Amino acid sequence: MYKLILEKTAYTPSQLSGLDLPQIALAGRSNVGKSSLINTLGGRKNLAKTSSTPGKTRSVNFYLVEPVKFHLVDLPGYGYARCSMAEREKWGLLIQKFLEDNSLLKAVVLLLDSRLEPQVLDLDLAQYVRTLNLDLIPVLTKADKCKQKKIEHIRKTWTQILGLTDPLVVFSSKTGLGKDQLWERIIQKVAG
Ligand code: GTP
Ligand code: MG
């Protein structure tokens, strides 16, 4: 139904400029499934590069969504330990520059691993996004790897912690679970 086309890749803050369409970003810890989610939403396996080794995505990638005309933005994951301090700082600055003072950004899809209890890094990011007055769309990833009971538990926990009114989207890139619901939420934010 929607088509995704990689339109721009930014490795430095200065490369983030020059765009004018609304944006929806995907944020979350390294390896949580951001790039896989892009592939599932786009209906193609190799749109975004994925890897079982954390730290795969190192640039900010802008995917044009047709026919609606906005950008889905795949961000590098945070909390990736196996790289130098300098490199981590560089990514941090790039993400910070992207999120702050970005009037095109309509919402941040926050990816959370359905198998894990809330992690400090996730809470920090949720807090940070909120202090920037950005809308959050929380998504529980890798639902195919998690028992229904556990998913319900973690869904309740996050709803409480974040004080959510809408239910969290339960998602699996493997089975496509939650794909239509997530598209709906994203389009709502772009239109609103
Ligand atoms: P970085 O680019 O390092 O920030 O990671 P990422 O968040 O983009 O994660 P990526 O999409 O590369 O996925 C990491 C690993 O998790 C890969 O081995 C994926 O195949 C796997 N994975 C992602 N989503 C799912 C899912 O819904 N179900 C299952 N079973 N595996 C998944
Ligand atoms: Mg990635």
Side-chain angles (χ1 to χ4, degrees), residues 135-158:
D135 281 348
L136 262 186
I137 307 175
V139 172
L140 292 176
T141 64
K142 307 194 184 184
D144 59 280
K145 286 191 164 188
C146 195
K147 290 216 170 78
Q148 189 60 33
K149 232 181 158 172
K150 172 92 187 174
I151 289 180
E152 278 319 313
H153 159 74
I154 207 74
R155 202 180 195 180
K156 269 192 202 140
T157 308
W158 274 115

Side-chain angles (χ1 to χ4, degrees), residues 34-36 49-50 56-57 74-77:
K34 298 174 293 298
S35 299
S36 303
K49 287 197 187 105
T50 65
K56 183 66 185 175
T57 309
D74 190 13
L75 297 174

